[in-house]
PDB file of all heavy atoms in Angstrom:
ATOM      1  N   THR A  95      12.845  18.679  -2.220  1.00  0.00           N
ATOM      2  CA  THR A  95      13.136  19.790  -3.220  1.00  0.00           C
ATOM      3  C   THR A  95      13.082  19.271  -4.627  1.00  0.00           C
ATOM      4  O   THR A  95      12.904  18.033  -4.849  1.00  0.00           O
ATOM      5  CB  THR A  95      14.474  20.388  -2.924  1.00  0.00           C
ATOM      6  OG1 THR A  95      15.490  19.364  -3.254  1.00  0.00           O
ATOM      7  CG2 THR A  95      14.643  20.782  -1.416  1.00  0.00           C
ATOM      8  N   ILE A  96      13.296  20.167  -5.595  1.00  0.00           N
ATOM      9  CA  ILE A  96      13.294  19.676  -6.955  1.00  0.00           C
ATOM     10  C   ILE A  96      14.479  18.859  -7.293  1.00  0.00           C
ATOM     11  O   ILE A  96      14.567  18.107  -8.330  1.00  0.00           O
ATOM     12  CB  ILE A  96      13.230  20.926  -7.946  1.00  0.00           C
ATOM     13  CG1 ILE A  96      14.483  21.782  -7.697  1.00  0.00           C
ATOM     14  CG2 ILE A  96      11.989  21.681  -7.784  1.00  0.00           C
ATOM     15  CD1 ILE A  96      14.589  22.953  -8.694  1.00  0.00           C
ATOM     16  N   HIS A  97      15.484  18.764  -6.435  1.00  0.00           N
ATOM     17  CA  HIS A  97      16.596  17.946  -6.447  1.00  0.00           C
ATOM     18  C   HIS A  97      16.508  16.642  -5.655  1.00  0.00           C
ATOM     19  O   HIS A  97      17.477  15.860  -5.554  1.00  0.00           O
ATOM     20  CB  HIS A  97      17.885  18.685  -6.146  1.00  0.00           C
ATOM     21  CG  HIS A  97      18.103  19.953  -6.958  1.00  0.00           C
ATOM     22  ND1 HIS A  97      18.248  19.989  -8.284  1.00  0.00           N
ATOM     23  CD2 HIS A  97      18.101  21.282  -6.468  1.00  0.00           C
ATOM     24  CE1 HIS A  97      18.521  21.230  -8.682  1.00  0.00           C
ATOM     25  NE2 HIS A  97      18.265  22.010  -7.671  1.00  0.00           N
ATOM     26  N   GLY A  98      15.384  16.435  -5.031  1.00  0.00           N
ATOM     27  CA  GLY A  98      15.143  15.227  -4.194  1.00  0.00           C
ATOM     28  C   GLY A  98      15.691  15.260  -2.808  1.00  0.00           C
ATOM     29  O   GLY A  98      15.722  14.208  -2.201  1.00  0.00           O
ATOM     30  N   LYS A  99      16.057  16.503  -2.324  1.00  0.00           N
ATOM     31  CA  LYS A  99      16.515  16.593  -0.928  1.00  0.00           C
ATOM     32  C   LYS A  99      15.254  16.753   0.022  1.00  0.00           C
ATOM     33  O   LYS A  99      14.422  17.628  -0.250  1.00  0.00           O
ATOM     34  CB  LYS A  99      17.447  17.807  -0.774  1.00  0.00           C
ATOM     35  CG  LYS A  99      18.695  17.759  -1.687  1.00  0.00           C
ATOM     36  CD  LYS A  99      19.478  16.615  -1.391  1.00  0.00           C
ATOM     37  CE  LYS A  99      20.777  16.691  -2.248  1.00  0.00           C
ATOM     38  NZ  LYS A  99      21.646  15.374  -2.046  1.00  0.00           N
ATOM     39  N   PRO A 100      15.248  16.056   1.125  1.00  0.00           N
ATOM     40  CA  PRO A 100      14.144  16.109   2.042  1.00  0.00           C
ATOM     41  C   PRO A 100      14.128  17.472   2.711  1.00  0.00           C
ATOM     42  O   PRO A 100      15.125  18.052   2.997  1.00  0.00           O
ATOM     43  CB  PRO A 100      14.311  15.051   3.035  1.00  0.00           C
ATOM     44  CG  PRO A 100      15.882  14.750   2.892  1.00  0.00           C
ATOM     45  CD  PRO A 100      16.222  14.937   1.576  1.00  0.00           C
ATOM     46  N   ILE A 101      12.932  17.945   2.998  1.00  0.00           N
ATOM     47  CA  ILE A 101      12.635  19.326   3.560  1.00  0.00           C
ATOM     48  C   ILE A 101      12.216  19.164   5.069  1.00  0.00           C
ATOM     49  O   ILE A 101      11.376  18.378   5.301  1.00  0.00           O
ATOM     50  CB  ILE A 101      11.708  20.091   2.863  1.00  0.00           C
ATOM     51  CG1 ILE A 101      12.110  20.351   1.459  1.00  0.00           C
ATOM     52  CG2 ILE A 101      11.344  21.437   3.519  1.00  0.00           C
ATOM     53  CD1 ILE A 101      11.009  20.939   0.466  1.00  0.00           C
ATOM     54  N   GLU A 102      12.964  19.731   5.956  1.00  0.00           N
ATOM     55  CA  GLU A 102      12.633  19.640   7.377  1.00  0.00           C
ATOM     56  C   GLU A 102      11.218  20.138   7.696  1.00  0.00           C
ATOM     57  O   GLU A 102      10.715  21.139   7.033  1.00  0.00           O
ATOM     58  CB  GLU A 102      13.656  20.446   8.208  1.00  0.00           C
ATOM     59  CG  GLU A 102      14.937  19.680   8.434  1.00  0.00           C
ATOM     60  CD  GLU A 102      15.766  20.435   9.504  1.00  0.00           C
ATOM     61  OE1 GLU A 102      15.458  20.353  10.691  1.00  0.00           O
ATOM     62  OE2 GLU A 102      16.764  21.041   9.107  1.00  0.00           O
ATOM     63  N   LEU A 103      10.540  19.589   8.719  1.00  0.00           N
ATOM     64  CA  LEU A 103       9.321  20.013   9.175  1.00  0.00           C
ATOM     65  C   LEU A 103       9.477  21.497   9.774  1.00  0.00           C
ATOM     66  O   LEU A 103      10.566  21.763  10.247  1.00  0.00           O
ATOM     67  CB  LEU A 103       8.660  19.110  10.230  1.00  0.00           C
ATOM     68  CG  LEU A 103       7.751  18.122   9.638  1.00  0.00           C
ATOM     69  CD1 LEU A 103       8.319  17.165   8.615  1.00  0.00           C
ATOM     70  CD2 LEU A 103       7.219  17.182  10.727  1.00  0.00           C
ATOM     71  N   PRO A 104       8.408  22.241   9.739  1.00  0.00           N
ATOM     72  CA  PRO A 104       8.541  23.579  10.392  1.00  0.00           C
ATOM     73  C   PRO A 104       8.976  23.466  11.874  1.00  0.00           C
ATOM     74  O   PRO A 104       8.478  22.622  12.610  1.00  0.00           O
ATOM     75  CB  PRO A 104       7.074  24.137  10.278  1.00  0.00           C
ATOM     76  CG  PRO A 104       6.448  23.420   9.046  1.00  0.00           C
ATOM     77  CD  PRO A 104       7.060  22.119   9.107  1.00  0.00           C
ATOM     78  N   GLU A 105       9.822  24.426  12.284  1.00  0.00           N
ATOM     79  CA  GLU A 105      10.381  24.355  13.543  1.00  0.00           C
ATOM     80  C   GLU A 105       9.242  24.440  14.642  1.00  0.00           C
ATOM     81  O   GLU A 105       9.379  23.726  15.771  1.00  0.00           O
ATOM     82  CB  GLU A 105      11.274  25.527  13.834  1.00  0.00           C
ATOM     83  CG  GLU A 105      11.967  25.552  15.162  1.00  0.00           C
ATOM     84  CD  GLU A 105      13.041  26.526  15.279  1.00  0.00           C
ATOM     85  OE1 GLU A 105      13.592  26.993  14.260  1.00  0.00           O
ATOM     86  OE2 GLU A 105      13.320  26.932  16.425  1.00  0.00           O
ATOM     87  N   ASN A 106       8.109  25.094  14.326  1.00  0.00           N
ATOM     88  CA  ASN A 106       7.182  25.258  15.356  1.00  0.00           C
ATOM     89  C   ASN A 106       6.248  24.070  15.694  1.00  0.00           C
ATOM     90  O   ASN A 106       5.441  23.943  16.681  1.00  0.00           O
ATOM     91  CB  ASN A 106       6.189  26.456  15.019  1.00  0.00           C
ATOM     92  CG  ASN A 106       5.372  26.220  13.724  1.00  0.00           C
ATOM     93  OD1 ASN A 106       5.958  25.638  12.775  1.00  0.00           O
ATOM     94  ND2 ASN A 106       4.182  26.610  13.649  1.00  0.00           N
ATOM     95  N   VAL A 107       6.462  22.893  14.766  1.00  0.00           N
ATOM     96  CA  VAL A 107       5.719  21.748  15.065  1.00  0.00           C
ATOM     97  C   VAL A 107       6.617  20.572  15.699  1.00  0.00           C
ATOM     98  O   VAL A 107       6.091  19.545  15.995  1.00  0.00           O
ATOM     99  CB  VAL A 107       5.029  21.155  13.844  1.00  0.00           C
ATOM    100  CG1 VAL A 107       4.249  22.298  13.164  1.00  0.00           C
ATOM    101  CG2 VAL A 107       6.080  20.649  12.869  1.00  0.00           C
ATOM    102  N   VAL A 108       7.875  20.900  15.775  1.00  0.00           N
ATOM    103  CA  VAL A 108       8.825  19.890  16.254  1.00  0.00           C
ATOM    104  C   VAL A 108       8.911  19.960  17.779  1.00  0.00           C
ATOM    105  O   VAL A 108       9.096  21.050  18.352  1.00  0.00           O
ATOM    106  CB  VAL A 108      10.189  19.969  15.632  1.00  0.00           C
ATOM    107  CG1 VAL A 108      11.177  19.086  16.224  1.00  0.00           C
ATOM    108  CG2 VAL A 108      10.140  19.925  14.191  1.00  0.00           C
ATOM    109  N   PRO A 109       8.647  18.947  18.522  1.00  0.00           N
ATOM    110  CA  PRO A 109       8.856  18.905  20.025  1.00  0.00           C
ATOM    111  C   PRO A 109      10.129  19.388  20.454  1.00  0.00           C
ATOM    112  O   PRO A 109      11.161  19.094  19.880  1.00  0.00           O
ATOM    113  CB  PRO A 109       8.498  17.456  20.351  1.00  0.00           C
ATOM    114  CG  PRO A 109       7.785  16.841  19.251  1.00  0.00           C
ATOM    115  CD  PRO A 109       8.314  17.559  18.009  1.00  0.00           C
ATOM    116  N   ASN A 110      10.144  19.972  21.624  1.00  0.00           N
ATOM    117  CA  ASN A 110      11.391  20.458  22.165  1.00  0.00           C
ATOM    118  C   ASN A 110      12.375  19.422  22.384  1.00  0.00           C
ATOM    119  O   ASN A 110      13.700  19.644  22.315  1.00  0.00           O
ATOM    120  CB  ASN A 110      11.061  21.243  23.578  1.00  0.00           C
ATOM    121  CG  ASN A 110      10.336  22.528  23.354  1.00  0.00           C
ATOM    122  OD1 ASN A 110      10.495  23.219  22.407  1.00  0.00           O
ATOM    123  ND2 ASN A 110       9.558  22.913  24.369  1.00  0.00           N
ATOM    124  N   ALA A 111      11.908  18.250  22.684  1.00  0.00           N
ATOM    125  CA  ALA A 111      12.861  17.023  23.018  1.00  0.00           C
ATOM    126  C   ALA A 111      13.722  16.792  21.763  1.00  0.00           C
ATOM    127  O   ALA A 111      14.967  16.563  21.929  1.00  0.00           O
ATOM    128  CB  ALA A 111      12.093  15.848  23.377  1.00  0.00           C
ATOM    129  N   TYR A 112      13.097  16.942  20.584  1.00  0.00           N
ATOM    130  CA  TYR A 112      14.012  16.762  19.401  1.00  0.00           C
ATOM    131  C   TYR A 112      14.931  17.823  19.184  1.00  0.00           C
ATOM    132  O   TYR A 112      16.131  17.589  18.851  1.00  0.00           O
ATOM    133  CB  TYR A 112      13.041  16.694  18.164  1.00  0.00           C
ATOM    134  CG  TYR A 112      12.260  15.426  18.010  1.00  0.00           C
ATOM    135  CD1 TYR A 112      10.848  15.405  17.984  1.00  0.00           C
ATOM    136  CD2 TYR A 112      12.901  14.199  17.819  1.00  0.00           C
ATOM    137  CE1 TYR A 112      10.131  14.214  17.723  1.00  0.00           C
ATOM    138  CE2 TYR A 112      12.264  13.037  17.782  1.00  0.00           C
ATOM    139  CZ  TYR A 112      10.905  13.006  17.643  1.00  0.00           C
ATOM    140  OH  TYR A 112      10.200  11.827  17.544  1.00  0.00           O
ATOM    141  N   ARG A 113      14.499  19.139  19.446  1.00  0.00           N
ATOM    142  CA  ARG A 113      15.377  20.233  19.271  1.00  0.00           C
ATOM    143  C   ARG A 113      16.571  20.260  20.253  1.00  0.00           C
ATOM    144  O   ARG A 113      17.611  20.537  19.881  1.00  0.00           O
ATOM    145  CB  ARG A 113      14.634  21.504  19.304  1.00  0.00           C
ATOM    146  CG  ARG A 113      13.690  21.766  18.155  1.00  0.00           C
ATOM    147  CD  ARG A 113      13.297  23.218  18.135  1.00  0.00           C
ATOM    148  NE  ARG A 113      12.490  23.658  19.213  1.00  0.00           N
ATOM    149  CZ  ARG A 113      11.189  23.627  19.178  1.00  0.00           C
ATOM    150  NH1 ARG A 113      10.489  23.197  18.115  1.00  0.00           N
ATOM    151  NH2 ARG A 113      10.404  24.014  20.275  1.00  0.00           N
ATOM    152  N   ASP A 114      16.238  19.788  21.434  1.00  0.00           N
ATOM    153  CA  ASP A 114      17.266  19.755  22.618  1.00  0.00           C
ATOM    154  C   ASP A 114      18.332  18.781  22.211  1.00  0.00           C
ATOM    155  O   ASP A 114      19.510  19.040  22.532  1.00  0.00           O
ATOM    156  CB  ASP A 114      16.619  19.298  23.902  1.00  0.00           C
ATOM    157  CG  ASP A 114      15.665  20.407  24.489  1.00  0.00           C
ATOM    158  OD1 ASP A 114      15.774  21.589  24.014  1.00  0.00           O
ATOM    159  OD2 ASP A 114      14.928  20.156  25.359  1.00  0.00           O
ATOM    160  N   TRP A 115      18.011  17.729  21.435  1.00  0.00           N
ATOM    161  CA  TRP A 115      19.025  16.705  21.147  1.00  0.00           C
ATOM    162  C   TRP A 115      19.466  16.974  19.661  1.00  0.00           C
ATOM    163  O   TRP A 115      20.158  16.092  19.151  1.00  0.00           O
ATOM    164  CB  TRP A 115      18.439  15.337  21.280  1.00  0.00           C
ATOM    165  CG  TRP A 115      18.270  14.938  22.738  1.00  0.00           C
ATOM    166  CD1 TRP A 115      17.175  14.979  23.522  1.00  0.00           C
ATOM    167  CD2 TRP A 115      19.283  14.488  23.521  1.00  0.00           C
ATOM    168  NE1 TRP A 115      17.458  14.644  24.814  1.00  0.00           N
ATOM    169  CE2 TRP A 115      18.741  14.226  24.929  1.00  0.00           C
ATOM    170  CE3 TRP A 115      20.631  14.029  23.394  1.00  0.00           C
ATOM    171  CZ2 TRP A 115      19.560  13.643  25.927  1.00  0.00           C
ATOM    172  CZ3 TRP A 115      21.399  13.513  24.472  1.00  0.00           C
ATOM    173  CH2 TRP A 115      20.827  13.350  25.692  1.00  0.00           C
ATOM    174  N   GLU A 116      19.072  18.028  19.102  1.00  0.00           N
ATOM    175  CA  GLU A 116      19.439  18.308  17.795  1.00  0.00           C
ATOM    176  C   GLU A 116      19.089  17.292  16.678  1.00  0.00           C
ATOM    177  O   GLU A 116      19.830  16.894  15.711  1.00  0.00           O
ATOM    178  CB  GLU A 116      20.902  18.667  17.622  1.00  0.00           C
ATOM    179  CG  GLU A 116      21.349  19.941  18.482  1.00  0.00           C
ATOM    180  CD  GLU A 116      22.843  20.197  18.336  1.00  0.00           C
ATOM    181  OE1 GLU A 116      23.590  19.329  17.771  1.00  0.00           O
ATOM    182  OE2 GLU A 116      23.245  21.303  18.799  1.00  0.00           O
ATOM    183  N   VAL A 117      17.875  16.730  16.949  1.00  0.00           N
ATOM    184  CA  VAL A 117      17.369  15.712  15.997  1.00  0.00           C
ATOM    185  C   VAL A 117      16.596  16.380  14.936  1.00  0.00           C
ATOM    186  O   VAL A 117      15.524  17.154  15.285  1.00  0.00           O
ATOM    187  CB  VAL A 117      16.602  14.655  16.740  1.00  0.00           C
ATOM    188  CG1 VAL A 117      15.921  13.678  15.775  1.00  0.00           C
ATOM    189  CG2 VAL A 117      17.449  13.971  17.766  1.00  0.00           C
ATOM    190  N   GLN A 118      16.784  16.209  13.677  1.00  0.00           N
ATOM    191  CA  GLN A 118      15.973  16.816  12.592  1.00  0.00           C
ATOM    192  C   GLN A 118      14.795  15.884  12.286  1.00  0.00           C
ATOM    193  O   GLN A 118      14.985  14.729  12.324  1.00  0.00           O
ATOM    194  CB  GLN A 118      16.837  16.990  11.382  1.00  0.00           C
ATOM    195  CG  GLN A 118      18.009  17.938  11.508  1.00  0.00           C
ATOM    196  CD  GLN A 118      18.830  18.010  10.295  1.00  0.00           C
ATOM    197  OE1 GLN A 118      19.443  17.020   9.804  1.00  0.00           O
ATOM    198  NE2 GLN A 118      18.992  19.108   9.676  1.00  0.00           N
ATOM    199  N   VAL A 119      13.720  16.572  12.082  1.00  0.00           N
ATOM    200  CA  VAL A 119      12.397  15.759  11.752  1.00  0.00           C
ATOM    201  C   VAL A 119      12.012  16.196  10.307  1.00  0.00           C
ATOM    202  O   VAL A 119      11.808  17.400   9.985  1.00  0.00           O
ATOM    203  CB  VAL A 119      11.294  16.043  12.759  1.00  0.00           C
ATOM    204  CG1 VAL A 119      10.087  15.334  12.502  1.00  0.00           C
ATOM    205  CG2 VAL A 119      11.852  15.852  14.130  1.00  0.00           C
ATOM    206  N   PHE A 120      11.786  15.150   9.495  1.00  0.00           N
ATOM    207  CA  PHE A 120      11.426  15.413   8.158  1.00  0.00           C
ATOM    208  C   PHE A 120       9.999  14.773   7.761  1.00  0.00           C
ATOM    209  O   PHE A 120       9.499  15.157   6.640  1.00  0.00           O
ATOM    210  CB  PHE A 120      12.489  14.718   7.135  1.00  0.00           C
ATOM    211  CG  PHE A 120      13.916  15.388   7.280  1.00  0.00           C
ATOM    212  CD1 PHE A 120      14.813  14.953   8.312  1.00  0.00           C
ATOM    213  CD2 PHE A 120      14.239  16.440   6.372  1.00  0.00           C
ATOM    214  CE1 PHE A 120      16.011  15.550   8.417  1.00  0.00           C
ATOM    215  CE2 PHE A 120      15.398  16.986   6.610  1.00  0.00           C
ATOM    216  CZ  PHE A 120      16.361  16.620   7.540  1.00  0.00           C
ATOM    217  N   ASP A 121       9.523  13.844   8.554  1.00  0.00           N
ATOM    218  CA  ASP A 121       8.390  13.055   8.142  1.00  0.00           C
ATOM    219  C   ASP A 121       7.141  13.504   8.986  1.00  0.00           C
ATOM    220  O   ASP A 121       7.232  13.618  10.230  1.00  0.00           O
ATOM    221  CB  ASP A 121       8.687  11.621   8.329  1.00  0.00           C
ATOM    222  CG  ASP A 121       9.815  11.035   7.423  1.00  0.00           C
ATOM    223  OD1 ASP A 121      10.960  11.290   7.864  1.00  0.00           O
ATOM    224  OD2 ASP A 121       9.424  10.512   6.347  1.00  0.00           O
TER     225      ASP A 121
END
Side-chain angles (χ1 to χ4, degrees):
T95 69
I96 60 174
H97 303 295
K99 303 297 182 183
I101 299 173
E102 282 190 71
L103 267 56
E105 184 176 334
N106 63 321
V107 307
V108 177
N110 290 331
Y112 285 123
R113 291 199 294 269
D114 291 344
W115 289 94
E116 298 183 348
V117 175
Q118 296 175 301
V119 183
F120 296 87
D121 301 79

